[in-house]
Amino acid sequence: MTLLYSLFIFFFCIITTSAPPPSPPPYPYGFSYRINRGTSANSTDSFNTTWLSDRFFSAGSSALVSQPLNFPLPSEKTLRFFPPSSCGKRNCYTFPSLPSSSRYLLRTFTVYDNYDAKSRPPSFDVALSSTVLFSWRSPWPESTAVKGAYSDLFATLPNTSSSLDLCFYGFATDAPLVSSIELLQVHPAAYNAPDNIILVNYGRISCGTPHHWGADFSNDTDRFARSWQPDSAFRKIPQYSSDVRFLSTMNSISGADEEPNYFPMKLYQSAVTTEGPLVYELGVDAKMDYTVWLHFAEIDSSVKKAGERVFDVLINGDNVARVDIYKQVGGFSALTLNYTIKNLSSDVLTLKFVPAVGAPLISAVENYALVPIDPSTLPLQVTAMKELKESLRIPDRMGWNGDPCAPTTWDAWEGVTCRMTTDKTALVISEIDLGSQGLKGYISDQISLLSDLVNLNLSSNSLAGEIPPGLGQKSLTQVDLSNNQLTGSIPDDLASSNLKLVLLNGNLLEGRVPEQLYSVGVHGGSIDLSGNKGLCGVPSLPSCPIFWEHGRLSTRGKLAIGLSCLLVFCVVLLLAYIYIRRKRNDYDFALPHELMSLAAKRNRYQRQKTLMLLELESQHAKGLPSPFTPL
């Protein structure tokens, strides 16, 4: 979005420093990052603010402004730029480990100051996650190019995320740049904005003060680190300062510095008043919604009761309120009113304070554009694409940073095509075309999360590893993984009922080809499996060994080996059993040699004795006289 006269930013003004200012009170409200771009070491500025060295960036180079002495703060002297030729069109700062469901103030400082000696500021966009918020177009206003500008916004981090992307998108050959980034946690209910709305600052004015004050400009405390600028550049009536009365006080203002917005007390200790109408004009972008916050405090001690100062507030001609500060909050008390303007048709927002009784009075004005958060890529698909970025070793020149598909006004990641879901609430990946990109990694199995992928082309690279399971989504119609170094078998689930083209030729694949995959060619599609010496099992390829399938043992092979092992085991058991029995028989009947000799002698003696007894019995039977028989 182009911002007329850059009123959404705070122009840098040179702050003269004669003596170091005192240290500010403790800050911040909560979690914070303050990063000085293009530096390699932490630093502390003259306001005792600590700046971290450059970190969290995706690519780019550091540089120094051409006239660093013109910038009093270290965070304004250096910058990081992103040449598209080496970094791609899209580059991001990703802030990790953030408390989710929290609201943040994000502020950037941008300065060109002819750092590249080309005398031509670049054209680029700045987006927070999926939503473009700032647009820088060449030529910049001279004061902005030389002195720089601050831009800020309020946004809520979704409860589904713990990180935040601030991305820069360059046009043509222009290199986006940034000098400093501040991310500070604020109260979650600040400014009453819904979580799906980003509040982009289109003017934050402190009336009655001559200089910028607040963060990066003075030691005045603002818990949200807001910066406030003088009102003189925006006040149209009265035209001359001699017709304006400036009020200020050192008295305490009740109701200031309270949650959820913590508006600083200093904001209400100065004011502008005049006898006639008081008119301010703020530059805006047409056809957008805005929320205007008006700040009042009755700091004129001459006003002692209600009805002594009454005036009407008109916004673009519409009377939105009649204000009696004393009646509503009393003296030296803060009064804040806010109004929303829908679909503004003009590029100027006019605030008019018209007196009814006495003179109108105003302390401060804030104007924020209500920018809806644009659809982003489904979180699971973002996870898958980031895993693919790592596994495929995507080079920096391709600019795979931030959200793969959003913002929709930018090109998606190089080689990636996206589409909106049917309900228009999110973006999904439909095509990946990275043929002949010199990739040398592998295909992450997280690719299975790309459930809307229609075409995949990773051909003619040097990808290794196996084809991951789950690649075959029902949406898939074309797969070209040819001419890589893929190994292993073709997974069964690669086949999709909608596949029309399958090119796996020129790899190192092996094993049986799934019949359902080969049927793609049978049913009118195209399939090429040539150049894979290990594939088998379908026409035009060798037959697969009976016990070999998909580059490994088949089920039948495993069963056969199992039965063979069982048979061998049984045989071994039988042989062991026979051996043991034979051992036992040898012990029971095969006696030692000495025992056998004794047994043999005993047997001979017994035989001789038996023969003698038989002979005696024979003689007795013949009647021979017995020696014991008397004659």
Side-chain angles (χ1 to χ4, degrees):
M1 60 189 71
T2 302
L3 306 180
L4 185 63
Y5 303 123
S6 300
L7 292 178
F8 71 103
I9 55 180
F10 296 132
F11 289 104
F12 170 76
C13 62
I14 299 175
I15 303 173
T16 57
T17 54
S18 56
S23 299
Y27 184 80
Y29 169 80
F31 185 91
S32 66
Y33 280 123
R34 282 189 171 92
I35 302 177
N36 187 359
R37 303 312 177 191
T39 60
S40 58
N42 296 350
S43 61
T44 302
D45 63 21
S46 57
F47 303 118
N48 204 31
T49 299
T50 299
W51 292 84
L52 302 177
S53 59
D54 205 356
R55 60 193 68 186
F56 305 142
F57 53 83
S58 59
S61 303
S62 59
L64 188 70
V65 295
S66 61
Q67 300 183 61
L69 295 180
N70 290 341
F71 300 87
L73 300 181
S75 58
E76 298 166 341
K77 300 175 186 291
T78 57
L79 56 88
R80 176 164 291 273
F81 65 99
F82 307 96
S85 58
S86 58
C87 306
K89 287 186 176 182
R90 181 196 305 242
N91 288 273
C92 301
Y93 277 89
T94 300
F95 299 93
S97 305
L98 298 178
S100 60
S101 300
S102 296
R103 188 175 288 274
Y104 293 90
L105 168 71
L106 175 69
R107 177 170 50 243
T108 64
F109 179 71
T110 305
V111 64
Y112 173 64
D113 197 37
N114 202 26
Y115 79 95
D116 57 0
K118 295 181 179 179
S119 300
R120 182 184 176 278
S123 294
F124 62 94
D125 282 348
V126 183
L128 186 65
S129 297
S130 62
T131 308
V132 176
L133 299 169
F134 306 134
S135 295
W136 296 82
R137 295 293 182 267
S138 185
W140 298 8
E142 182 65 21
S143 58
T144 306
V146 174
K147 296 181 179 179
Y150 283 94
S151 312
D152 69 76
L153 56 89
F154 288 97
T156 299
L157 183 68
N159 56 11
T160 57
S161 178
S162 61
S163 64
L164 197 64
D165 292 328
L166 180 67
C167 297
F168 305 84
Y169 183 87
F171 294 92
T173 59
D174 288 359
L177 56 87
V178 63
S179 291
S180 68
I181 300 177
E182 299 170 79
L183 185 70
L184 306 106
Q185 186 181 5
V186 300
H187 195 284
Y191 290 97
N192 304 323
D195 291 346
N196 63 343
I197 294 293
I198 298 175
L199 299 181
V200 181
N201 175 24
Y202 270 65
R204 188 180 292 124
I205 303 165
S206 177
C207 301
T209 56
H211 303 294
H212 286 74
W213 62 273
D216 302 314
F217 291 97
S218 75
N219 271 328
D220 298 292
T221 303
D222 186 316
R223 288 179 183 264
F224 289 0
R226 288 162 292 211
S227 297
W228 303 84
Q229 60 189 132
D231 69 323
S232 55
F234 307 96
R235 190 176 62 246
K236 300 304 176 183
I237 299 176
Q239 294 183 346
Y240 305 104
S241 59
S242 58
D243 298 326
V244 178
R245 181 183 173 198
F246 299 96
L247 303 178
S248 63
T249 183
M250 295 301 293
N251 293 341
S252 295
I253 307 297
S254 62
D257 204 28
E258 294 182 352
E259 66 175 24
N261 296 314
Y262 293 98
F263 295 120
M265 185 175 296
K266 179 181 174 64
L267 193 68
Y268 301 97
Q269 290 178 324
S270 64
V272 165
T273 183
T274 185
E275 294 301 323
L278 188 59
V279 179
Y280 290 89
E281 290 184 355
L282 307 179
V284 294
D285 284 320
K287 298 182 181 181
M288 294 181 63
D289 299 342
Y290 295 85
T291 178
V292 178
W293 290 70
L294 305 176
H295 303 276
F296 309 94
E298 187 54 80
I299 59 174
D300 188 345
S301 57
S302 64
V303 177
K304 301 183 180 300
K305 62 180 180 179
E308 293 187 350
R309 189 193 304 276
V310 182
F311 56 92
D312 293 326
V313 177
L314 284 74
I315 301 179
N316 278 8
D318 295 331
N319 194 329
V320 298
R322 171 157 286 194
V323 178
D324 186 336
I325 304 171
Y326 200 99
K327 180 180 179 180
Q328 292 173 261
V329 295
F332 296 93
S333 296
L335 172 63
T336 299
L337 305 175
N338 75 284
Y339 305 95
T340 299
I341 300 93
K342 297 283 188 178
N343 196 24
L344 193 64
S345 59
S346 172
D347 58 3
V348 175
L349 189 146
T350 303
L351 302 175
K352 190 173 185 179
F353 305 93
V354 180
V357 179
L361 177 146
I362 181 68
S363 296
V365 175
E366 295 178 89
N367 184 33
Y368 297 97
L370 301 172
V371 181
I373 295 177
D374 290 334
S376 58
T377 307
L378 288 176
L380 282 178
Q381 298 204 13
V382 173
T383 299
M385 294 302 290
K386 289 183 177 179
E387 289 292 332
L388 281 174
K389 175 185 176 181
E390 297 300 321
S391 70
L392 297 177
R393 302 180 187 176
I394 301 295
D396 288 343
R397 61 177 171 78
M398 297 186 70
W400 277 35
N401 304 302
D403 189 296
C405 301
T408 55
T409 55
W410 298 358
D411 292 335
W413 285 3
E414 185 175 340
V416 176
T417 302
C418 307
R419 68 170 178 84
M420 191 76 70
T421 55
T422 305
D423 59 5
K424 308 295 183 182
T425 60
L427 296 161
V428 293
I429 311 297
S430 60
E431 297 184 23
I432 298 178
D433 185 359
L434 297 176
S436 304
Q437 293 295 328
L439 307 179
K440 298 182 179 180
Y442 63 94
I443 306 173
S444 169
D445 57 6
Q446 295 293 303
I447 198 172
S448 63
L449 298 176
L450 302 180
S451 56
D452 302 274
L453 190 62
V454 176
N455 299 331
L456 174 64
N457 178 14
L458 299 176
S459 63
S460 302
N461 288 293
S462 299
L463 301 178
E466 298 186 356
I467 299 174
L471 174 59
Q473 301 293 337
K474 291 182 178 179
S475 60
L476 202 60
T477 62
Q478 298 184 12
V479 180
D480 186 354
L481 303 179
S482 60
N483 300 313
N484 280 285
Q485 300 172 13
L486 299 175
T487 58
S489 61
I490 301 174
D492 291 333
D493 54 5
L494 175 61
S496 164
S497 58
N498 295 316
L499 274 175
K500 302 299 181 185
L501 176 68
V502 181
L503 303 178
L504 301 177
N505 53 292
N507 281 286
L508 305 174
L509 300 172
E510 57 185 357
R512 184 180 297 274
V513 177
E515 293 182 4
Q516 187 178 1
L517 181 66
Y518 185 76
S519 67
V520 170
V522 177
H523 293 91
S526 298
I527 182 168
D528 189 348
L529 304 174
S530 62
N532 292 279
K533 295 183 178 180
L535 292 178
C536 60
V538 296
S540 76
L541 293 178
S543 299
C544 293
I546 188 171
F547 295 138
W548 197 253
E549 190 174 47
H550 297 317
R552 58 181 67 87
L553 281 173
S554 66
T555 302
R556 288 178 295 179
K558 293 177 182 177
L559 182 61
I561 291 177
L563 291 175
S564 300
C565 291
L566 180 61
L567 179 61
V568 170
F569 180 69
C570 292
V571 170
V572 170
L573 284 179
L574 179 61
L575 293 175
Y577 173 77
I578 294 172
Y579 176 76
I580 292 173
R581 289 297 303 268
R582 289 190 61 184
K583 291 273 292 187
R584 287 178 178 174
N585 291 340
D586 289 347
Y587 178 77
D588 290 340
F589 305 107
L591 299 177
H593 177 73
E594 292 81 3
L595 292 177
M596 291 180 62
S597 299
L598 291 174
K601 292 178 181 180
R602 187 182 299 114
N603 290 337
R604 287 195 298 272
Y605 172 76
Q606 289 295 336
R607 284 194 300 271
Q608 291 175 358
K609 183 178 178 180
T610 300
L611 291 173
M612 291 178 66
L613 288 174
L614 290 173
E615 185 177 357
L616 287 173
E617 290 178 354
S618 175
Q619 292 177 359
H620 179 71
K622 295 178 178 179
L624 293 177
S626 171
F628 302 106
T629 302
L631 297 173

